[in-house]
């Protein structure tokens, strides 16, 4: 379904960000199940869907705040993530489990049925032990009050319950033992009739998959090592705005905004200095001139602050430059968080439910800033629960549910004529 939903811009330009087969698992739970998406320059893509559907995880993978389990992410012409190691490992584990079930006899229908019955009996045994413990506790309490009249009859009843429960426990244990013996016998019968050709074929399949998995692991490690060197550069051109602002409370608004631009500016100048000095040692006269013209720390700081003031003016908060975040309202904090992301001059902005932590009366001021960015042509991906905002601002809307994109369409089409049944159900509850 997703392949039909992949959109191409009118001029067939390359996407700014492209994902293929994006999978993300947390502790065995699959959150993203193969996301294919293209985001083009100037698009405003709203991502909607129920809570827990994988929207925020998808967004965080785009910025590599979450490393995907498998798939491919391309930013322009650069592949920033590509791996199928975990997917190949899962195939290997499944093949091993299949062979183990075959050679051990647990794939046999009778064995499986007996094992299910044993499991049910063990659950029953667990409950009976709880009952026995409760009866014994009750008996102790009764004995402690035995001198009071009427307790003797209750003590006898409880003793009978204890005896009956213990008898039932013994019976269940005996039944489990019989079932286990039956399983053992049946497994032996199955093993005696195993097809050597099938076993050999399974072993060959596992050996072949081991090689594939080993190669995938090598490529994965190599890519992760390479990614560690380039991830910061990618994040510099991908602005991220979080639900809960993530401002540094011990820094002023100005320092929050200029911290990253100053740091990266100084790092870039230092790296260029080293390269130019190496060129000078080789006799490059042009390198000497360029070295003398490199910006100094004060110039970098002044440029960062000047840019920050300009951005603060765009969101109406120039008067808050020297205050601390603790003195700001939620809406003001989020506008500062947006300015902080813009200060790095990103090529794309990612918004992770930017209004979810705000009081209703503050939502409008933040959405107004995002609308202004949209009007200015900024490429944006916005995870949001604000359906009216998505309808008004987005050029495309992705509906994500159960870790996949179930519908991808312009807002008028998606909201006005939804095709996916799950989307229809979702919209009926939120509109």
């Amino acid at each position: 379904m997703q392949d039909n939903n992949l959109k191409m811009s009118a001029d067939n330009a390359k996407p700014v960000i492209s994902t293929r087969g994006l999978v993300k698992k947390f502790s065995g739970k699959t959150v993203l199940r193969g996301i294919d998406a293209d985001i083009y320059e100037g698009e405003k893509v709203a991502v909607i869907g129920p809570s827990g559907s994988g929207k925020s995880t998808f967004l965080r993978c785009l910025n590599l705040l979450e490393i995907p389990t498998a798939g491919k992410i391309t930013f322009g012409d650069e592949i920033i993530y590509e791996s199928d190691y975990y997917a190949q490992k899962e195939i290997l584990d499944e093949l091993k489990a299949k062979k183990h079930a075959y050679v051990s006899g647990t794939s046999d229908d009778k064995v499986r049925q007996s094992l299910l019955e044993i499991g049910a009996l063990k659950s029953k045994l667990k409950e009976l032990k709880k009952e026995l413990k409760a009866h014994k506790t009750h008996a102790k309490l009764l004995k402690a009050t035995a001198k009071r009249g009427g307790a003797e009859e209750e003590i006898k009843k409880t003793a009978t319950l204890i005896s009956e429960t213990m008898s039932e426990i013994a019976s269940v244990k005996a039944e489990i033992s019989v079932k286990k013996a039956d399983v053992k016998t049946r497994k032996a019968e199955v093993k005696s009739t195993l097809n050597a050709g099938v076993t050999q074929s399974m072993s060959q399949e596992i050996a072949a998959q081991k090689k594939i998995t080993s190669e995938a692991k090598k490529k994965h490690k190599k890519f992760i090592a390479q990614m560690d060197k380039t991830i910061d550069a990618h994040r510099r051109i991908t602005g991220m705005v979080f639900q809960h602002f993530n401002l540094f409370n011990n820094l002023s608004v100005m320092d929050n905004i200029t911290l990253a631009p100053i740091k990266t500016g100084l790092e870039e100048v230092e790296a260029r200095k080293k390269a130019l000095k190496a060129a000078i040692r080789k006799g490059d006269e042009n390198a000497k001139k360029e070295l003398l013209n490199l910006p100094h720390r004060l110039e970098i700081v002044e440029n960062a602050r000047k840019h920050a003031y300009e951005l603060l003016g765009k969101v109406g908060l120039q008067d808050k430059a020297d205050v601390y975040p603790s003195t700001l309202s939620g809406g003001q904090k989020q506008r500062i968080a947006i300015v902080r992301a813009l200060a790095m001059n990103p090529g794309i902005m990612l918004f992770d439910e930017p209004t979810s932590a705000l009081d209703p009366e503050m939502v409008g001021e933040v959405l107004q800033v995002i609308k202004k960015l949209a009007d200015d042509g900024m490429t944006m991906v916005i995870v949001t629960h604000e359906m009216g905002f998505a309808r008004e601002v987005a050029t495309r809307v992705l509906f994500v549910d159960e870790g996949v994109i179930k519908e991808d369409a312009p807002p008028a089409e998606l909201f006005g004529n939804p095709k996916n049944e799950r989307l229809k159900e979702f919209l009926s509850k939120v509109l």
Side-chain angles (χ1 to χ4, degrees):
M1 182 185 296
Q2 272 187 250
D3 289 341
N4 296 329
N5 289 330
L6 296 179
K7 305 295 181 183
M8 292 296 290
S9 62
D11 57 359
N12 278 337
K14 284 186 178 181
V16 176
I17 288 185
S18 178
T19 71
R20 291 293 179 271
L22 204 63
V23 175
K24 179 61 181 177
K25 296 186 178 185
F26 293 99
S27 302
K29 181 183 177 183
T30 305
V31 178
L32 301 181
R33 300 176 181 275
I35 296 281
D36 293 346
D38 289 328
I39 302 226
Y40 293 90
E41 186 174 355
E43 281 196 307
K44 291 81 186 170
V45 179
V47 184
I48 65 171
S51 297
S53 60
K55 308 184 299 296
S56 291
T57 300
F58 168 57
L59 199 73
R60 291 172 68 83
C61 283
L62 294 183
N63 205 23
L64 297 178
L65 290 173
E66 295 288 354
I67 304 302
T69 303
K72 181 178 180 180
I73 304 175
T74 306
F75 194 98
D77 293 323
E78 181 186 4
I79 297 173
I80 63 170
Y81 177 84
E82 184 175 23
S83 177
D84 67 344
Y85 164 58
Y86 292 104
Q88 295 299 338
K89 185 177 182 298
E90 194 170 273
I91 293 171
L92 178 61
D93 291 341
E94 288 174 357
L95 289 173
K96 286 180 177 179
K98 184 179 178 181
K99 182 186 175 184
H100 174 74
Y102 181 71
V103 300
S104 68
T106 53
S107 61
D108 177 73
D109 289 340
K110 290 183 179 179
V111 171
R112 284 207 307 268
Q113 182 58 38
S114 294
L115 290 173
L116 287 172
E117 290 171 0
I118 289 171
L121 287 168
K122 285 183 175 179
S123 296
K124 183 179 179 181
L125 183 62
K126 189 176 179 181
E127 291 302 314
L128 286 170
K129 286 181 176 179
K130 284 183 181 178
E131 285 182 26
L132 180 61
K133 186 177 179 181
H135 292 326
K136 286 183 175 180
T137 301
H138 186 54
K140 286 181 180 179
L141 290 172
L142 288 172
K143 286 178 182 178
T145 59
K147 293 181 180 180
R148 288 182 359 204
E152 293 82 0
E153 189 64 30
E154 188 67 24
I155 288 172
K156 287 180 182 179
K157 287 181 181 179
T158 304
T160 301
L161 288 172
I162 289 172
S163 178
E164 290 174 351
T165 305
M166 289 179 69
S167 177
E168 195 172 355
I169 287 173
S171 175
V172 172
K173 283 183 175 179
E175 195 174 351
I176 289 173
S177 296
V178 171
K179 292 285 184 185
K180 283 184 174 180
D182 289 344
V183 167
K184 188 175 181 180
T185 301
R186 181 58 187 170
K187 279 185 176 182
E189 291 174 359
V190 172
K191 286 179 181 179
S192 68
T193 60
L194 288 179
N195 186 317
V198 173
T199 306
Q200 185 179 4
S201 175
M202 286 181 167
S203 296
Q204 289 172 347
E205 197 173 357
I206 288 170
Q209 186 59 37
K210 277 184 177 178
K211 289 182 180 178
I212 294 171
T213 305
S214 178
E215 286 302 313
K217 186 176 183 179
K218 288 177 184 176
K219 289 180 181 178
H220 177 76
K221 285 186 173 180
K222 183 177 180 181
F223 202 92
I224 291 297
Q226 170 192 327
M227 190 176 70
D228 286 342
K229 298 175 183 177
T230 60
I231 194 168
D232 286 341
H234 169 64
R235 287 176 181 164
R236 288 173 189 175
I237 54 175
T238 311
M240 183 86 178
V241 178
F242 302 89
Q243 296 179 36
H244 299 289
F245 327 130
N246 289 4
L247 298 174
F248 296 107
N249 288 321
N250 62 322
L251 298 179
S252 69
V253 165
M254 178 58 69
D255 289 339
N256 264 282
I257 297 168
T258 59
L259 181 64
I262 290 172
K263 184 176 185 295
T264 56
L266 291 172
E267 287 174 352
E268 288 168 3
V269 168
E270 192 59 35
R272 188 59 187 156
K273 271 184 183 178
K274 288 182 180 179
L276 290 172
K277 285 179 180 179
I280 290 169
R281 287 193 293 270
K282 294 179 181 179
D284 188 338
E285 291 299 320
N286 290 327
K288 288 182 180 180
K289 295 177 182 178
E290 187 179 341
L291 182 62
L292 291 173
N293 291 324
L294 285 177
H296 297 287
R297 178 184 177 85
L298 184 59
E299 186 179 349
I300 292 170
V301 172
E302 287 178 348
N303 286 339
R305 290 179 67 86
K306 181 181 177 182
H307 189 210
Y309 270 118
E310 290 173 357
L311 293 172
L312 284 170
K314 289 184 178 182
V315 300
L317 291 175
Q318 274 189 338
D319 61 323
K320 303 296 183 183
D322 297 319
V323 307
Y324 286 83
S326 59
T327 66
L328 303 175
S329 69
Q332 290 171 331
K333 287 178 182 178
Q334 194 60 293
R335 281 187 280 164
I336 296 301
I338 293 171
V339 167
R340 181 178 60 180
L342 291 172
M344 293 298 290
N345 297 312
I348 184 169
M349 286 285 285
L350 309 176
F351 294 89
D352 185 9
E353 298 186 34
T355 60
S356 65
L358 301 178
D359 293 333
E361 62 184 12
M362 297 178 183
V363 170
E365 63 188 63
V366 173
L367 294 183
Q368 203 59 42
V369 170
I370 299 175
K371 285 179 184 177
K372 179 65 168 60
L373 290 176
D375 292 340
D376 290 344
M378 173 65 74
T379 306
M380 298 188 291
V381 183
I382 311 163
V383 171
T384 183
H385 289 295
E386 302 286 342
M387 297 300 113
F389 174 75
R391 189 197 295 259
E392 180 184 349
V393 175
T395 54
R396 275 169 59 208
V397 182
L398 308 181
F399 173 64
V400 177
D401 185 44
E402 297 178 329
V404 295
I405 297 174
K406 293 193 172 178
E407 193 151 338
D408 174 357
E413 180 183 333
L414 186 136
F415 289 107
N417 186 29
K419 297 176 178 61
N420 181 268
E421 289 301 320
R422 181 67 183 94
L423 173 58
K424 292 178 183 177
E425 180 188 350
F426 173 76
L427 292 177
S428 70
K429 294 176 180 177
V430 299
L431 291 181

